[in-house]
Amino acid sequence: MSQTVISTSNLAKNFGANQALKSVSLTVEKGTTTGLVGPNGAGKTTLFSLLCGFLKPTNGDIKVLGHNPDSPVIRSQVAILPQDAALLKSLPVIKQLSMLAELQGMSQSAARSEAVRVLKAVNLLDAGNQIPERLSHGMLKRVLIAQAFLGSPELIMLDEPTAGLDPNTSDAIKALIRKMSASCTIIISSHNLAVIEDLCQQIIILKKGELYAHQAVAELTGRTKALTFKLEADPTDNIADIFKSISAVTAVKTGQPGQHRLVVYFNEQQDPMVEVEIIKCLAMAGVQYREMVRGERLQDSVADRTL
């Protein structure tokens, strides 16, 4: 049976005369990994801060694990990684992590073991005795991610968890997030929609302070009902005409100028071979493409909806 981990009702936040968040009502169920996205100024940071208990709402109600976000009752059950999180200076990272684990109620020895475990998870055990000033930006980021995985949190909230990381380290962090998602609920706020598409089952889209959409990533990208082509040049205005002979094609969409993007939607139940027919039509019309993917990239889908 599903359990609600986060619920908001008519949630609003004002900063003076500016209404940053307007009547947002949503629920996040246990065991899901959910992406929080939106353009600059959409209210993403405000909502994330409200969920973390960093801000108080102006209006509406918010519950995290059945309590107010800043309740001491859930302090050890919720792990948070803000984008601007920082470590204490001149204190070895393993001591800092051990201290944070002790604050969760662990004994000194258990806290030390837990600090070792999370440093191993981010491949930084050898740097455990280093002070933060001697670590690179990427290493610091990995230590901060390690602290978010201390203990056994029921809810983990990560703000831009892979920002500033090299591809190999980013892949390792994503693998760790996937592993953790088997035992907890995760919220990821990020501008990197490739990360959201890779890790999340659900997505929350904000636009101008309002809830624009809350749905499954698979539904938004339409993996079973569209083909996306990266063309050699922008499609012509009449590109849809070449698919008129295919009754199973339901719609055709082109990207912004310079994107060279073409999306063809279809009903596979009507014609199981429709994808082959679409490719044949492109070839017969002399339309060349560099890349074809099933569905839409989340980046394109969200951008089209939030422009």
Side-chain angles (χ1 to χ4, degrees), residues 19 23 33 47 50 53 55 68 76 99 129 133 135 150 160 163 167 174 226 232 259 274 292-293:
Q19 192 171 16
S23 191
T33 300
L47 178 57
L50 288 166
L55 295 175
N68 292 331
S76 64
M99 177 182 66
N129 291 318
E133 296 94 311
L135 300 181
L150 286 168
E160 299 290 359
K174 287 190 288 184
E232 291 289 347
Q259 290 184 330
V274 62
M292 180 192 74
V293 296

Side-chain angles (χ1 to χ4, degrees), residues 36 40 44-46 48-49 52 54 80-87 137 140-142 144-145 147-148 157-165 187-192:
L36 175 59
N40 291 333
K44 185 169 75 273
T45 300
T46 300
F48 189 86
S49 298
C52 294
F54 299 155
I80 301 167
L81 175 64
Q83 186 177 7
D84 57 357
L87 296 167
H137 172 76
L140 286 171
K141 187 79 172 184
R142 286 153 63 193
L144 290 167
I145 289 171
Q147 68 84 22
M157 292 189 276
L158 306 172
D159 191 8
E160 299 290 359
T162 61
L165 300 179
I187 306 292
I188 302 173
S189 177
S190 181
H191 286 291
N192 188 337

Side-chain angles (χ1 to χ4, degrees), residues 21 60 79 86 111 120 149 159 192 195 208 215 217 263 269 297:
L21 214 60
K120 283 183 177 178
F149 294 136
D159 191 8
N192 188 337
V195 170
K208 296 181 180 179
Q215 63 189 108
V217 170
V263 185
Q269 292 182 339
R297 288 193 315 151

Side-chain angles (χ1 to χ4, degrees), residues 84-130:
D84 57 357
L87 296 167
L88 297 172
K89 293 183 178 180
S90 303
L91 184 65
V93 295
I94 196 165
K95 289 187 176 181
Q96 296 197 45
L97 294 176
S98 297
M99 177 182 66
L100 291 170
E102 286 187 58
L103 288 174
Q104 292 187 12
M106 298 183 196
S107 67
Q108 190 174 46
S109 60
R112 175 80 179 191
S113 296
E114 182 64 6
V116 168
R117 182 187 72 83
V118 295
L119 283 174
K120 283 183 177 178
V122 296
N123 198 27
L124 274 181
L125 184 57
D126 290 345
N129 291 318
Q130 296 288 335

Side-chain angles (χ1 to χ4, degrees), residues 176-226:
L176 182 59
I177 292 172
R178 289 190 196 96
K179 181 179 179 180
M180 290 297 297
S181 69
S183 59
C184 67
T185 303
I186 300 177
I187 306 292
I188 302 173
S189 177
S190 181
H191 286 291
N192 188 337
L193 295 183
V195 170
I196 299 296
E197 184 173 5
D198 194 14
L199 295 175
C200 299
Q201 294 88 45
Q202 296 282 323
I203 186 169
I204 295 168
I205 303 175
L206 297 179
K207 182 178 181 180
K208 296 181 180 179
E210 299 182 290
L211 179 63
Y212 181 83
H214 183 190
Q215 63 189 108
V217 170
E219 292 177 2
L220 199 62
T221 55
R223 294 192 186 282
T224 61
K225 61 181 181 181

Side-chain angles (χ1 to χ4, degrees), residues 14-27:
N14 299 343
F15 296 97
N18 177 39
Q19 192 171 16
L21 214 60
K22 309 169 188 176
S23 191
V24 171
S25 298
L26 57 85
T27 60

